[in-house]
Amino acid sequence: QVQLVESGGGSVQAGGSLRLSCVASGSTYSTTMAWFRQTPGKEREGVAVLYARNGNTNYAGSVKGRFTISQDNAKNTLYLQMNSLKPEDTAMYYCAADLEGRGVFWYNPRRYNSWGQGTQVTVSS
């Protein structure tokens, strides 16, 4: 089981930027990785995914053009660059690994079987 540890969250004003990092305890070169976020009382929402098979990415409509997911395989680290942040981006952000190749849509949390502990992002207006 790969363990994931997120960092990089914090408080920022609207329009600002943050870069989240997710360090894996092992190689995730052949693993589809994703970022999710969650606010109290709401379901976990898929933000971005990076497919291991071809390196393609996909984003939630609400973040497309503002967020970028990337990976440094040498460092076993997944990133989420977040620009032009909005107050509605405020949430706990989690990285997740699809270790079993489950045939579920990327934004479905059930696809992923390893999760980090989360890092809080707060955007003020």
Side-chain angles (χ1 to χ4, degrees), residues 10 16 25 30 33 37 40 57 64 93 99 109 112 120:
S25 61
S30 60
M33 302 290 294
R37 64 187 182 187
T57 59
K64 195 171 294 184
Y93 283 72
L99 301 176
Y112 305 90
Q120 178 68 37

Side-chain angles (χ1 to χ4, degrees), residues 57 76 90 92 96 118:
T57 59
N76 293 335
T90 295
M92 185 72 79

Side-chain angles (χ1 to χ4, degrees), residues 2-122:
V2 174
Q3 294 185 340
L4 306 173
V5 179
E6 302 98 333
S7 63
S11 297
V12 64
Q13 288 192 328
S17 298
L18 285 173
R19 188 176 80 157
L20 306 184
S21 299
C22 171
V23 179
S25 61
S27 174
T28 56
Y29 176 74
S30 60
T31 302
T32 290
M33 302 290 294
W35 286 98
F36 282 75
R37 64 187 182 187
Q38 189 172 23
T39 54
K42 292 190 176 181
E43 293 185 356
R44 198 163 289 191
E45 173 192 20
V47 175
V49 64
L50 192 152
Y51 293 101
R53 182 183 53 170
N54 52 23
N56 286 349
T57 59
N58 207 347
Y59 297 89
S62 59
V63 307
K64 195 171 294 184
R66 300 188 297 122
F67 291 11
T68 302
I69 187 172
S70 62
Q71 185 168 277
D72 185 333
N73 290 318
K75 297 181 179 180
N76 293 335
T77 302
L78 181 74
Y79 300 102
L80 185 69
Q81 178 67 44
M82 305 186 296
N83 298 328
S84 302
L85 283 161
K86 303 176 181 180
E88 51 263 44
D89 295 319
T90 295
M92 185 72 79
Y93 283 72
Y94 301 89
C95 68
D98 172 15
L99 301 176
E100 298 180 0
R102 297 173 177 176
V104 181
F105 287 121
W106 74 266
Y107 48 81
N108 188 334
R110 291 169 49 198
R111 177 174 182 146
Y112 305 90
N113 46 11
S114 184
W115 294 84
Q117 84 290 347
T119 185
Q120 178 68 37
V121 171
T122 302

